[in-house]
Amino acid sequence: MTCVVNCKEENLTRPGVWWNQILQVENADTQRIVYVRYACMHCEDPPCVKACPNEAIYKRPDGIVLVDKSKCAGAMECVEACPYGVIVMTPDKEYFAGQEALQKTELSAHRVHPPGKASMCTLCFHRIDEGLQPICVAGCPSRAMVFGDLDDPESPIQEKRERSEPLQASAGSKPKVTYVFPSGLK
Ligand code: SF4
């Protein structure tokens, strides 16, 4: 759960909002539990972008899918459209009184979350723009995640990518986040 806690601390999402989760999936055949890191898949063909009537969700040139909070009207079409159920509407709750005011004046933009707006994992774009890895990847003690440039044939991610596959590929959104399943545990 290090990635879950690190994401929370890094992005300071509001109470009840978990952009990065660990699902525990029981496999009755193997009698094993598989732990699956689960967040926005940063789809190549994202239904959330098409669904938003205000063009509030967009894909950056590098493929990261983000919400423009200034355009989001909170109508939730994106929530319905996302096949992975990872978009959350920011609640009007704070961890402590005055949190929102503090965020507006003292915190970086990526930690400001106005209520009533859609939000999901940003792949820590603010870290990537500084040459760093997403915090979930950087902090994982078992190095279970790999981040890299899919357009770079020399990137270390390519070896893993070849052996990986998306969850729920039938949704057709072509997720950029893919998984390497140990044999017999899928
Ligand atoms: Fe959009 Fe959902 Fe795909 Fe993320 S996982 S890009 S929110 S459709």
Side-chain angles (χ1 to χ4, degrees):
M1 303 291 280
T2 308
C3 59
V4 175
V5 176
N6 280 353
C7 174
K8 196 77 181 165
E9 195 281 332
E10 175 72 21
N11 294 293
L12 204 61
T13 53
R14 290 190 177 224
V17 176
W18 300 93
W19 286 352
N20 186 81
Q21 302 176 63
I22 299 291
L23 305 184
Q24 297 182 44
V25 183
E26 293 182 42
N27 185 319
D29 295 335
T30 58
Q31 299 190 332
R32 298 281 294 271
I33 295 174
V34 181
Y35 296 92
V36 182
R37 181 265 181 190
Y38 194 75
C40 174
M41 305 289 170
H42 295 281
C43 305
E44 187 176 327
D45 191 12
C48 58
V49 172
K50 293 180 202 157
C52 180
N54 302 310
E55 299 182 348
I57 308 186
Y58 63 101
K59 197 166 70 160
R60 297 201 328 179
D62 61 6
I64 299 174
V65 179
L66 295 174
V67 177
D68 180 341
K69 293 165 196 156
S70 69
K71 290 184 178 176
C72 177
M76 298 181 65
E77 282 96 336
C78 57
V79 175
E80 300 288 327
C82 173
Y84 297 96
V86 295
I87 302 179
V88 289
M89 303 306 292
T90 302
D92 191 11
K93 287 191 281 186
E94 300 176 303
Y95 278 112
F96 53 86
Q99 179 184 355
E100 187 179 359
L102 175 70
Q103 286 177 314
K104 278 183 180 160
T105 56
E106 297 186 17
L107 298 180
S108 305
H110 72 274
R111 303 183 97 185
V112 177
H113 308 292
K117 310 283 185 182
S119 79
M120 72 274 190
C121 156
T122 65
L123 211 62
C124 284
F125 71 93
H126 56 284
R127 288 175 56 87
I128 292 171
D129 290 348
E130 292 182 0
L132 302 171
Q133 296 190 329
I135 196 70
C136 55
V137 177
C140 177
S142 50
R143 300 285 180 262
M145 285 170 274
V146 181
F147 169 80
D149 182 355
L150 296 174
D151 292 331
D152 176 4
E154 303 301 320
S155 170
I157 201 173
Q158 300 297 356
E159 186 269 330
K160 287 273 195 297
R161 181 75 172 178
E162 284 172 12
R163 297 189 286 121
S164 71
E165 54 190 294
L167 298 182
Q168 211 180 323
S170 59
S173 61
K174 301 180 188 159
K176 291 290 181 64
V177 177
T178 54
Y179 295 78
V180 178
F181 290 94
S183 59
L185 289 182
K186 193 170 163 191

